[in-house]
């Protein structure tokens, strides 16, 4: 039983979605919570856009109407407004429906009227349509049967056509086999031709008839075999097609195909061997006859290329031509046996009767001096011998009297005479066959054929294969004797020149690459044992350098000579070692990286030795050098006195200093000479002989180029000049300051003189102050120890020594000044009141005159020192010490005047 009232029940039935109740609940909620209905943050929100209900509303046009989604989409509308809107939309729909019915009412009424009687009419049409359908089905069945029959006939005809084509193919195979057997005379052994002997085709007056000659002509035989090879190639192509069809006929006649191949190969080998024997052998044929045989050789090579029997042709070349020559030429005692000259091919006939009817001389022609070949070659290994083209390496072999060079010369002449034309013909045949196959990819095909082992490779597989093995087996003990470096270097140079000349004869660059990639070539290069040779050279070079560095530096007692000559034996040995690394008698290009490393090691070893020499030098005044170099010159009243340099006037000390100067000057001169010579050696020889390393990144500072490495090594040696220069400066300074000791005696000397006038001349010893420096650099008329360094070190050393001398001079003058001040204070005691009968003399007057004479003398001495320094190219005004010295002397004048006024 429902708990709702009748009014509620009636309202619920009128409002199934209870919209009124939902509206009342929403209003009550808004009244109970008014603060939550509006935002408290004061933020402004846009008003929702009012969209009226229409047919385009996606919620109303959906297949399944969702009340919740629809209400959420209209959440901005109250339920009362939503209900009013829905009712208005319902009224709009009803009005539209009524209008639609009213507009099409007549059409609806006429539709029912027009459809009367259509059922009977449709029933009448149904019967003939069924009959028509049955007839169409029957026709379709008949057409399908006819189509199937046609397809069967077409398939049958296709099979017949394929079988016919196969039969035609088999007929072609059969005809080709028959034709080849006929061409090669396989079916009738009694008709087999005897091997062609070229001696039977000599031109003579009693020769056979023209027909017989044509029948037995080698040219016809070569063309005959070429035709058979073309037919055999076509047979193989047809047989491969038939074999793909699983034809048993091909398997049954395979033995015939093999027999044809064997017969064709044997006939071709026999013809090719006889042709080679006639051309390269000892057959007494004229050049005209040999020129006639050249087309046969070309046909044979072309036939081998067509059949793909390149290795068979190369084997015949090895066995018939190359191997006999190698056996006669390259053997164990070949280098000690006399070499017979290679007989040239004379271009004249042996018979003089009928061969030269128009000859104006009755004497036979003179045999040419140089070997002559009838082959039109494009390259030659010996310009001096063959006179056609020039090889850059032939000079090493032609100009040498070495037995190995003579042997190589004989081999090259043989290859030039007997193989150059054969290689040229084989190369032309291969290029022609490749161009006919694909004219746009000749180079790619050639590289591919060489790489895959296809095509002729006579230089690698014939010439070098036999020659390399013979040299390694029979002459290896002499050629590769690394225990004798000089002979090994000579043999290596001659052999490399021989290989380069052999490559110069090669018909193409691909032939050279194939020869270098041949296993015999790789084995031949490994037999040299270049690391062993370098180790022996390293021991030879380094031992001499170490022996020279083991002795101390002993000067010869005379000054060094020219600036571009080395003085010490140690530097000479290092330079000899450096030049030896890159000399033609020792250097090998394949060891360039090892010799470059040895060069840097030699420079580093010389630097270590120089450093040890400098460190081992025991000199007592080395500590004062740093003081002099780092001392600051200032005014006399503010500066501290310069530490006194040691003075060693003894003869033994002078001799030791002289020896030290000579030693250091020699080392400095050697360093400068070695530096310039090494850089010249780099620019003239090493940089052209040493390959620059690949992949050097300019931005990577950790990588050092070869030039930078050499410059760093040379700079490290040059850095040792500075400590030696400092020592030389100290020794010369000590010698120059010895005369300055006379400054202490100026007061005594002036007061001891009877003449009390002011001095007008400087002391004679002033000219002796810088005299050791002039003597050292040879400016006094004699050759000095440092004359070789005058151009580079005269100016800097003179300035430094002059600076040191002035500092020492300041020290002596300051001492003299202090002594005068002490004496002056001593004399300023109680006034002297002694009575004198002859009058009184003021001692201060006498003292003032002495000080004036001392001041004038010092000024004259300093001025003389300035003039003497200018003779060495020194500008005294730029010297801080000399300026301080001048100021100190001038201050004596001012102080003496003030003291004089003080006394009065």
């Amino acid at each position: 039983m429902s708990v709702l009232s009748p009014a509620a029940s009636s309202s619920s039935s009128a409002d199934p979605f209870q919209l009124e109740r939902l509206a009342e609940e929403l209003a009550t909620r808004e009244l109970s919570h008014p603060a939550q209905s509006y935002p408290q943050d004061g933020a402004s929100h846009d008003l929702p856009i009012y969209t009226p209900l229409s047919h385009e509303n996606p919620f109303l046009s959906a297949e399944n109407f969702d009340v919740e989604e629809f209400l959420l989409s209209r959440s901005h509308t109250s339920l009362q407004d939503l209900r009013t809107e829905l009712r208005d939309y319902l009224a709009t729909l009803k009005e539209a429906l009524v209008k639609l019915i009213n507009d099409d009412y007549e059409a609806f009424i006429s539709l029912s009227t027009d459809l009367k009687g259509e059922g009977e009419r449709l029933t009448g049409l149904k019967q003939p349509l069924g009959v028509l359908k049955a007839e169409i089905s029957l026709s379709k069945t008949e057409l399908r049967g006819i189509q199937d029959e046609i397809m069967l006939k077409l398939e049958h005809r296709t099979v017949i056509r394929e079988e016919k084509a196969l039969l035609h193919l088999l007929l072609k195979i059969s005809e080709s086999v028959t034709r080849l057997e006929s061409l090669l005379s396989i079916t009738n052994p009694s008709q087999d031709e005897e091997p062609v002997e070229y001696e039977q085709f000599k031109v003579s007056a009693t020769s056979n008839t023209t027909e017989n000659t044509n029948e037995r002509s080698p040219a016809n035989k070569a063309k005959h075999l070429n035709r058979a090879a073309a037919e055999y190639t076509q047979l193989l192509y047809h047989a491969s097609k038939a074999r793909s069809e699983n034809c048993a006929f091909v398997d049954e006649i395979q033995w015939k195909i093999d027999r044809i191949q064997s017969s064709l190969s044997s006939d071709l080998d026999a013809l090719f061997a006889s042709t080679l024997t006639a051309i390269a052998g000892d057959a007494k044929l004229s050049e005209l006859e040999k020129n006639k045989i050249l087309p046969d050789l070309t046909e044979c090579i072309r036939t081998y290329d067509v059949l793909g029997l390149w290795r068979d042709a190369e084997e015949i070349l090895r066995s018939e031509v190359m191997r006999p020559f190698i056996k006669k030429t390259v053997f164990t005692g070949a280098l000690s046996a006399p070499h017979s000259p290679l007989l040239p091919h004379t271009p004249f006939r042996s018979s003089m009767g009928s061969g030269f009817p128009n000859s104006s001389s009755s004497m036979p022609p003179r045999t040419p001096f140089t070997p002559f070949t009838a082959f039109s070659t494009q390259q030659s290994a010996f310009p001096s011998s063959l006179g056609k083209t020039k090889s850059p390496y032939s000079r090493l072999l032609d100009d040498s009297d070495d037995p190995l060079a003579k042997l190589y010369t004989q081999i090259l002449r043989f290859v030039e005479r007997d193989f150059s034309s054969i290689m040229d013909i084989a190369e032309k045949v291969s290029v022609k066959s490749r161009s006919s196959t694909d004219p746009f990819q000749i180079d790619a095909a050639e590289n591919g054929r060489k790489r895959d082992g296809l095509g002729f490779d006579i230089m690698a597989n014939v010439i070098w294969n036999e020659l390399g093995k013979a040299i390694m087996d029979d002459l290896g003990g002499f050629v590769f004797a690394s225990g004798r470096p000089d002979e090994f270097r000579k043999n290596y140079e001659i052999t490399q020149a021989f290989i380069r000349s052999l490559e110069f004869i090669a018909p193409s660059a691909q032939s050279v690459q194939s020869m270098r990639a041949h296993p015999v070539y790789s084995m031949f290069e490994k037999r040299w044992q270049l690391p062993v040779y370098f180790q022996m050279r390293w021991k030879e070079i380094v031992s001499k350098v170490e022996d020279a560095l083991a002795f101390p530096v002993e000067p010869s007692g005379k000054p060094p000579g020219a600036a571009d000559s080395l003085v010490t034996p140690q530097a000479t040995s290092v330079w000899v070692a450096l030049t030896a690394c890159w000399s033609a008698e020792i250097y090998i290009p394949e060891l360039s990286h090892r010799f470059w490393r040895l060069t840097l090691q030699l420079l580093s070893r010389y630097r270590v030795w120089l450093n040890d020499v400098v460190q081992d030098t025991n000199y007592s005044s080395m500590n004062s050098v740093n003081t002099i170099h780092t001392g600051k010159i200032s005014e006399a009243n503010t500066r501290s006195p310069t530490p006194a340099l040691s003075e060693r006037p003894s003869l033994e000390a002078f001799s030791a200093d002289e020896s030290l100067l000579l030693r250091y000057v020699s080392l400095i001169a050697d360093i400068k000479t070695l530096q310039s010579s090494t850089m010249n050696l780099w620019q003239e020889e090493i940089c052209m002989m040493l390959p620059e390393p690949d992949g050097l990144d300019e931005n990577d500072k950790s990588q050092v180029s070869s030039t930078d490495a050499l410059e760093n090594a040379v700079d490290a040696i040059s850095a040792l000049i500075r400590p030696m220069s400092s020592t030389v400066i100290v020794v010369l300074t000590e010698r120059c300051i010895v005369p300055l000791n006379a400054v202490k005696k100026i007061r005594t000397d002036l007061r001891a003189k009877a003449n009390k006038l002011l001095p007008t001349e400087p002391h004679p010893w002033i000219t002796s102050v810088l005299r050791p420096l002039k003597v050292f650099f040879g400016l006094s008329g004699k050759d000095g120890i440092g004359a070789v360094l005058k151009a580079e070190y005269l100016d800097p050393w003179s300035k430094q020594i002059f600076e040191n001398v002035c500092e020492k001079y300041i020290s002596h003058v300051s001492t003299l000044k202090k002594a005068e001040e002490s004496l002056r204070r001593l004399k300023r005691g109680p006034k002297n009141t002694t009575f004198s009968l002859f009058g009184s003399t003021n001692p201060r007057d006498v003292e003032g005159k002495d000080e004036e004479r001392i001041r004038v003398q010092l000024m004259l001495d300093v001025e003389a020192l300035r003039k003497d320094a200018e003779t060495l190219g020194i500008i005294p005004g730029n010297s801080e010490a000399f300026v301080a010295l001048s100021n100190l002397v001038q201050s004596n004048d001012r102080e003496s005047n003030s003291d004089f006024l003080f006394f009065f």
Side-chain angles (χ1 to χ4, degrees):
M1 180 176 178
S2 177
V3 296
L4 298 175
S5 62
S9 299
S10 60
S11 63
S12 63
S13 61
D15 188 9
F17 297 105
Q18 298 180 4
L19 297 178
E20 295 179 356
R21 184 180 60 80
L22 293 175
E24 293 174 357
E25 291 179 358
L26 181 59
T28 304
R29 187 182 303 170
E30 291 177 354
L31 293 174
S32 61
H33 302 285
Q36 297 180 359
S37 300
Y38 302 98
Q40 298 178 0
D41 54 358
S44 61
H45 297 283
D46 296 334
L47 295 176
I49 300 175
Y50 174 75
T51 304
L53 293 177
S54 62
H55 298 298
E56 286 77 12
N57 194 306
F59 298 100
L60 297 177
S61 61
E63 295 181 359
N64 298 324
F65 179 73
D66 192 347
V67 179
E68 295 180 357
E69 294 291 336
F70 177 73
L71 292 176
L72 290 175
S73 66
R74 314 292 289 191
S75 60
H76 58 278
T77 306
S78 63
L79 292 178
Q80 291 85 351
D81 296 339
L82 181 60
R83 181 179 60 184
T84 303
E85 188 177 358
L86 289 173
R87 286 177 179 177
D88 293 341
Y89 182 60
L90 178 60
T92 302
L93 289 178
K94 289 180 179 180
E95 185 180 354
L97 180 61
V98 172
K99 184 178 178 181
L100 179 62
I101 294 174
N102 290 334
D103 292 340
D104 297 336
Y105 179 76
E106 295 180 359
F108 285 126
I109 298 301
S110 62
L111 179 61
S112 62
T113 306
D114 295 338
L115 290 178
K116 291 182 180 181
E118 292 297 328
E120 297 178 358
R121 190 181 303 172
L122 292 174
T123 304
L125 292 176
K126 185 176 181 180
Q127 184 176 1
L129 289 176
V131 177
L132 183 59
K133 182 179 180 181
E135 292 178 357
I136 291 173
S137 300
L138 181 60
S139 300
K140 184 178 181 181
T141 303
E142 292 177 355
L143 289 175
R144 184 177 292 109
I146 295 172
Q147 183 181 4
D148 295 339
E149 292 178 359
I150 292 173
M151 292 301 297
L152 289 176
K153 289 183 178 180
L154 291 176
E155 292 176 358
H156 183 63
R157 288 186 178 183
T158 302
V159 173
I160 293 176
R161 185 167 54 252
E162 292 177 354
E163 291 180 354
K164 183 178 179 181
L166 182 59
L167 290 176
H168 280 291
L169 182 62
L170 296 179
L171 287 175
K172 289 181 181 179
I173 294 175
S174 178
E175 291 175 358
S176 296
V177 171
T178 303
R179 191 159 43 249
L180 285 171
E181 289 178 347
S182 176
L183 289 174
L184 299 176
S185 303
I186 295 177
T187 57
N188 189 8
S190 61
Q191 298 178 359
D192 290 345
E193 296 182 359
E194 296 296 332
V196 179
E197 297 293 340
Y198 281 92
E199 287 76 3
Q200 299 176 5
F201 297 98
K202 293 181 62 176
V203 179
S204 60
T206 60
S207 61
N208 294 329
T209 62
T210 305
E211 296 180 356
N212 294 334
T213 303
N214 292 334
E215 291 177 357
R216 303 178 60 84
S217 173
N220 293 337
K221 182 67 174 177
K223 294 179 180 179
H224 183 78
L225 291 178
N226 191 9
R227 178 185 173 187
E231 187 71 26
Y232 177 73
T233 304
Q234 186 176 7
L235 172 62
L236 293 180
Y237 173 72
H238 292 160
S240 63
K241 291 181 64 176
R243 190 175 287 107
S244 64
E245 299 293 337
N246 297 324
C247 186
F249 177 75
V250 178
D251 297 333
E252 293 180 358
I253 66 171
Q254 183 62 40
W255 65 275
K256 292 185 177 182
I257 297 175
D258 296 339
R259 186 177 61 176
I260 291 172
Q261 179 184 4
S262 177
S263 178
L264 179 60
S265 177
S266 61
D267 292 348
L268 182 61
D269 292 345
L271 178 62
F272 188 54
S274 58
T275 305
L276 292 175
T277 304
I279 293 178
D282 298 332
K284 297 180 180 180
L285 298 178
S286 65
E287 290 297 321
L288 180 61
E289 295 171 349
K290 292 183 178 181
N291 291 335
K292 291 181 179 180
I293 299 175
L294 283 180
D296 301 342
L297 181 66
T298 305
E299 291 294 335
C300 291
I301 294 176
R302 186 180 294 111
T303 304
Y304 276 114
D305 185 72
V306 170
L307 296 176
L309 302 177
W310 306 287
R311 304 290 87 82
D312 294 349
E314 293 170 355
E315 178 60 30
I316 293 176
L317 284 171
R318 282 196 298 269
S319 60
E320 296 294 334
V321 182
M322 194 65 193
R323 194 170 296 160
F325 172 77
I326 291 298
K327 289 183 179 179
K328 292 187 298 183
T329 306
V330 182
F331 51 91
T332 304
L335 298 178
S336 58
H339 297 282
S340 60
L342 192 66
L343 295 178
H345 292 318
T346 175
F348 305 106
R349 294 171 55 90
S350 58
S351 176
M352 298 300 298
S354 60
F356 296 89
N358 298 326
S359 178
S360 60
S361 176
S362 60
M363 297 298 294
R366 184 172 57 89
T367 302
F369 174 73
T370 57
F372 176 79
T373 174
F375 298 70
S376 58
T377 59
Q378 60 181 0
Q379 293 172 333
S380 174
F382 292 90
S384 61
S385 301
L386 302 178
K388 290 191 175 182
T389 57
K390 295 183 178 181
S391 169
Y393 304 96
S394 60
R395 178 183 56 81
L396 298 175
L397 302 178
D398 275 349
D399 297 342
S400 177
D401 295 333
D402 189 85
L404 183 62
K406 294 181 179 180
L407 177 64
Y408 287 157
T409 301
Q410 187 177 4
I411 295 173
L412 285 173
R413 289 177 178 173
F414 169 77
V415 174
E416 165 70 18
R417 188 193 69 175
D418 293 343
F419 273 97
S420 60
S421 296
I422 298 176
M423 289 188 293
D424 292 339
I425 293 173
E427 188 69 20
K428 292 178 181 178
V429 168
S430 299
V431 171
K432 186 176 181 180
S433 63
R434 290 192 294 271
S435 61
S436 61
T437 303
D438 189 355
F440 299 101
Q441 297 181 354
I442 297 178
D443 295 338
E446 183 175 359
N447 294 332
R449 289 164 68 95
K450 295 293 184 181
R451 185 169 53 252
D452 298 337
L454 306 178
F456 292 101
D457 200 356
I458 299 176
M459 178 60 73
N461 297 333
V462 178
I463 299 175
W464 182 252
N465 188 18
E466 293 292 330
L467 184 59
K469 291 180 179 179
I471 293 176
M472 288 188 292
D473 296 340
D474 298 333
L475 304 179
F478 174 80
V479 176
F480 306 105
S482 58
R484 299 183 294 271
D486 295 334
E487 296 181 5
F488 178 86
R489 173 66 181 80
K490 185 177 181 180
N491 294 339
Y492 182 82
E493 181 182 7
I494 294 175
T495 305
Q496 292 300 318
F498 165 69
I499 294 175
R500 301 292 88 82
S501 300
L502 197 64
E503 293 175 351
F504 194 77
I505 304 176
S508 63
Q510 286 74 20
S511 299
V512 176
Q513 295 176 1
S514 299
M515 187 185 79
R516 294 181 180 179
H518 199 273
V520 177
Y521 188 89
S522 302
M523 189 183 305
F524 187 85
E525 291 296 326
K526 292 179 181 179
R527 285 288 301 273
W528 285 110
Q529 297 181 355
L530 294 179
V532 177
Y533 167 78
F534 174 78
Q535 192 66 25
M536 299 187 67
R537 289 298 189 185
W538 182 90
K539 183 178 180 181
E540 176 184 347
I541 294 172
V542 172
S543 60
K544 294 180 181 179
V545 174
E546 291 296 335
D547 292 342
L549 297 181
F551 293 96
V553 181
E554 296 183 1
S556 58
K558 59 182 180 179
D564 56 349
S565 61
L566 296 172
V567 180
T568 62
Q570 290 81 3
T572 304
S573 64
V574 172
W575 172 246
V576 170
L578 292 177
T579 55
C581 293
W582 307 96
S583 63
E585 292 77 13
I586 295 179
Y587 175 75
I588 291 180
E590 286 74 12
L591 297 174
S592 59
H593 60 289
R594 295 176 181 264
F595 282 111
W596 173 243
R597 183 174 59 185
L598 178 58
T599 300
L600 298 179
Q601 290 175 348
L602 290 172
L603 293 175
S604 177
R605 178 66 182 92
Y606 184 63
R607 179 188 61 81
V608 172
W609 176 80
L610 283 175
N611 189 34
D612 294 339
V613 171
V614 175
Q615 295 295 333
D616 294 341
T617 301
N618 186 12
Y619 192 70
S620 60
S621 299
M622 288 299 293
N623 293 331
S624 62
V625 175
N626 296 331
T627 305
I628 292 175
H629 284 183
T630 59
K632 301 297 182 181
I633 306 300
S634 61
E635 295 294 328
N637 54 359
T638 60
R639 68 186 301 276
S640 59
T642 304
L645 297 172
S646 61
E647 300 175 2
R648 299 180 295 170
S650 64
L651 182 61
E652 181 180 356
F654 181 82
S655 177
D657 292 346
E658 194 76 9
S659 177
L660 180 64
L661 289 176
L662 182 60
R663 182 186 305 115
Y664 276 4
V665 168
S666 301
L667 292 177
I668 293 174
D670 286 346
I671 291 175
K672 303 301 292 185
T673 303
L674 190 63
Q675 179 182 7
S676 60
S677 301
T678 302
M679 297 310 298
N680 291 335
L681 180 65
W682 163 261
Q683 295 176 359
E684 295 175 0
E685 297 183 17
I686 301 178
C687 66
M688 296 182 291
M689 302 166 69
L690 181 66
E692 192 68 22
D694 298 333
L696 190 63
D697 188 4
E698 297 180 355
N699 299 326
D700 190 359
K701 297 182 179 180
S702 61
Q703 297 180 353
V704 180
S705 62
S706 301
T707 306
D708 296 337
L710 182 62
E711 290 178 353
N712 294 337
V714 173
D715 292 342
I717 297 176
S718 301
L720 297 174
I721 295 178
R722 182 178 179 83
M724 289 188 287
S725 300
S726 301
T727 303
V728 173
I729 290 173
V730 169
V731 174
L732 294 178
T733 302
E734 287 184 355
R735 293 186 177 184
C736 292
I737 64 177
V738 171
L740 296 179
N741 294 329
V743 177
K744 303 176 182 179
K745 303 178 182 179
I746 289 179
R747 183 179 179 87
T748 306
D749 295 340
L750 289 176
R751 290 179 176 176
K753 288 182 178 180
N755 186 6
K756 301 298 183 178
L757 298 178
L758 293 176
T760 59
E761 296 292 336
H763 283 106
W765 51 264
I766 288 295
T767 58
S768 301
V769 174
L770 298 179
R771 185 177 299 169
L773 185 60
K774 297 179 181 180
V775 172
F776 177 78
F777 284 109
L779 300 178
S780 59
K782 298 181 180 180
D783 293 336
I785 297 176
V788 69
L789 305 178
K790 179 173 62 176
E792 187 171 358
Y793 292 98
L794 174 61
D795 185 62
W797 287 4
S798 299
K799 291 180 180 179
Q800 185 62 45
I801 292 173
F802 181 70
E803 193 82 10
N804 297 339
V805 169
C806 291
E807 290 180 0
K808 189 65 176 178
Y809 207 153
I810 290 173
S811 176
H812 286 304
V813 173
S814 300
T815 303
L816 178 63
K817 180 180 179 181
K818 291 179 180 179
E820 289 294 330
E821 290 177 354
S822 299
L823 183 61
R824 189 183 301 115
R825 286 193 299 269
L826 181 62
K827 291 181 179 181
R828 288 177 183 175
K831 295 183 179 180
N832 189 5
T833 57
T834 307
F835 175 75
S836 177
L837 179 63
F838 300 99
S840 61
T841 59
N842 192 350
R844 291 188 176 89
D845 295 339
V846 179
E847 187 68 22
K849 293 180 181 179
D850 292 341
E851 292 179 358
E852 181 67 16
R853 288 196 297 271
I854 294 173
R855 181 186 64 80
V856 173
Q857 186 65 52
L858 289 176
M859 293 178 63
L860 292 174
D861 293 344
V862 171
E863 181 64 19
L865 180 63
R866 181 187 65 80
K867 294 180 180 180
D868 196 18
E870 289 178 351
T871 59
L872 293 174
I874 302 173
I875 302 176
N878 296 336
S879 174
E880 296 180 0
F882 182 79
V883 172
L885 177 62
S886 299
N887 295 334
L888 181 61
V889 173
Q890 297 296 333
S891 65
N892 289 335
D893 185 15
R894 292 190 295 268
E895 291 178 1
S896 62
N897 293 333
S898 61
D899 292 340
F900 182 78
L901 294 176
F902 175 78
F903 289 127
F904 288 95

